[in-house]
Amino acid sequence: MESGLKGKVAIVTGGSKGIGEAIASALWQEGAAVVITARNAAEVEATAAKMREAGGKVLAVVADMTKETDLQQLVTATIQEFGRIDILVNNAGIIDTFGPVDTITVAQWRWIFEVNVFGVVALTNLVIPYMQQQGGGRIINISSENAEQPDPMMVHYNATKAALNNYSKTLSKAWGKDNILVNTVSPAFIKTPLVDDLLEGIAKEKQLTVAEAAKQFLKENRPNQVLGRPGLPEETAGIVVFLAGAQAGFITGGVFRVDGGSVGTV
Ligand code: NAP
C-alpha cells in the first residue's frame, strides 16, 4: 500500500537537525512538500538546501517556538508556498538543564514549558482551522520516554512531555469529528545533537570517553533498554511517516514508543 503522502504538505518544527531532520527527509522521500523550521537560520537553510539538492520540495522558515508572531509567519509562508497544511509534526524541543529536582528553578520550569508545550499549543491552534477547512489532517507530537518514566535529573522536562501526551489525547478527542488524527511518538536515547551534548557532559564530568559514557548511562539510568545502543533518527522517522500516511487512517489518540524497550512498564 502506498503511503498516500504524494502532494501532501507537512510542517516539521525543529527540522534542521536530529530527529526533525530525519522526519522531514523521510516525508519528502514519500512525495510530501515539507516546511522545516528552527531558530538558527544558517542551519535550517543548509538542511533545506541539502534536501532540495536530493530532490525534495522543501521550504526553510526561521521560527522560534516561543514567539507567536514567528509561528503565524510560518503558517502564512506555508500557505503562500504550498497552499495547504496536511501534516503538523511538533518536534522542536529542549532539555535545557539537568539537575536534582530541588535545583531546577521556577524560571527554568517556565522556560521549558514555553518551548516544549506552549509553543506546540500556539502552533497547533494556528494550524487546526486549515485542517478543518481541508476536511482533515494529521498531527504528530514528539514526546519522550520521560513522559511515562520520569528521570529524576530532568523534572521539568518530564513534566513538559507528560503534558504533551495529555494534550495530544485531548486534541484527538476534540478534532476526531473533523477527521484530524492526533498521535504521540515517544523516542528515547536517539543519537542526535541533543543526546551527543548530554553524553559529552557526562563524559567530561566522569572522565570517560563518550562511548563509555553512553554505556554507563544506559546501565545506570535506562536498565530496561534491551538493545544496548542509541537509536538512530531514521529509526524514529518511520513511525511518523506511517502515522502521517494512508495506512494510519483509523489511528488516533495513541502513544507510540521508539525506545529500544527503555520504558519498563506495559
Ligand atoms: P536536537 O538535535 O537538539 O534538535 C532540536 C531541534 O529543535 C533543532 O532543529 C533546534 O533548532 C530546534 N529548536 C530548539 N529550540 C527551539 C525553539 N525555541 N524554537 C524553534 N526551534 C527550536 O533534538 P532531538 O534530539 O532531535 O529532539 C527532537 C525532539 O525529540 C525533542 O522534542 C526532544 O524532546 C524529543 N526527544 C528526543 C530524544 C533523543 O533521544 N534525542 C529522546 C526523547 C525525546 P534551533 O536550535 O536552531 O532552534
Side-chain angles (χ1 to χ4, degrees):
M1 192 175 175
E2 293 249 326
S3 68
L5 289 171
K6 225 167 258 162
K8 301 283 184 193
V9 177
I11 294 176
V12 181
T13 67
S16 64
K17 55 188 166 194
I19 292 171
E21 179 180 1
I23 291 169
S25 191
L27 287 171
W28 76 249
Q29 285 177 49
E30 287 296 325
V34 181
V35 181
I36 60 171
T37 75
R39 289 164 304 172
N40 185 313
E43 279 184 9
V44 75
E45 292 290 353
T47 302
K50 200 168 63 181
M51 291 179 188
R52 273 187 228 113
E53 263 169 44
K57 234 185 192 180
V58 181
L59 175 70
V61 177
V62 177
D64 184 330
M65 292 303 293
T66 66
K67 295 189 177 140
E68 280 204 56
T69 47
D70 284 10
L71 300 179
Q72 181 65 68
Q73 258 170 24
L74 161 65
V75 169
T76 304
T78 305
I79 296 297
Q80 270 171 2
E81 185 79 11
F82 298 123
R84 53 189 295 123
I85 305 169
D86 301 288
I87 300 152
L88 171 62
V89 183
N90 284 310
N91 164 78
I94 55 170
I95 295 179
D96 199 44
T97 37
F98 298 90
V101 173
D102 55 350
T103 66
I104 308 293
T105 65
V106 172
Q108 287 165 335
W109 272 84
R110 285 212 175 94
W111 175 242
I112 200 166
F113 265 81
E114 286 291 344
V115 180
N116 290 4
V117 181
F118 304 150
V120 172
V121 173
L123 180 57
T124 304
N125 284 347
L126 291 168
V127 166
I128 290 282
Y130 291 95
M131 292 185 170
Q132 285 172 317
Q133 279 162 26
Q134 290 161 196
R138 302 287 170 87
I139 299 175
I140 297 137
N141 292 325
I142 307 301
S143 182
S144 166
E145 63 170 336
N146 295 41
E148 295 177 84
Q149 179 169 268
D151 183 318
M153 296 294 278
M154 305 181 207
V155 61
H156 55 338
Y157 178 76
N158 302 335
T160 61
K161 295 301 187 176
L164 200 55
N165 284 19
N166 197 283
Y167 175 62
S168 301
K169 188 69 181 176
T170 310
L171 282 181
S172 72
K173 287 175 180 248
W175 304 124
K177 66 178 175 54
D178 294 316
N179 194 32
I180 300 170
L181 278 53
V182 187
N183 287 290
T184 303
V185 169
S186 285
F189 206 56
I190 308 296
K191 193 173 167 15
T192 66
L194 181 145
V195 164
D196 288 343
D197 285 351
L198 167 82
L199 292 177
E200 277 160 25
I202 296 173
K204 203 167 156 199
E205 188 192 318
K206 301 195 170 170
Q207 299 194 324
L208 300 168
T209 66
V210 172
E212 286 165 348
K215 272 213 166 80
Q216 196 182 89
F217 177 81
L218 283 178
K219 195 169 158 213
E220 290 176 5
N221 300 56
R222 302 291 185 268
N224 299 306
Q225 210 271 37
V226 289
L227 300 184
R229 65 166 177 89
L232 301 174
E234 299 72 39
E235 291 174 309
T236 310
I239 184 82
V240 177
V241 168
F242 172 75
L243 290 169
Q247 295 175 65
F250 199 60
I251 302 176
T252 194
V255 178
F256 298 85
R257 295 175 185 163
V258 185
D259 70 355
S262 191
V263 174
T265 52
V266 175

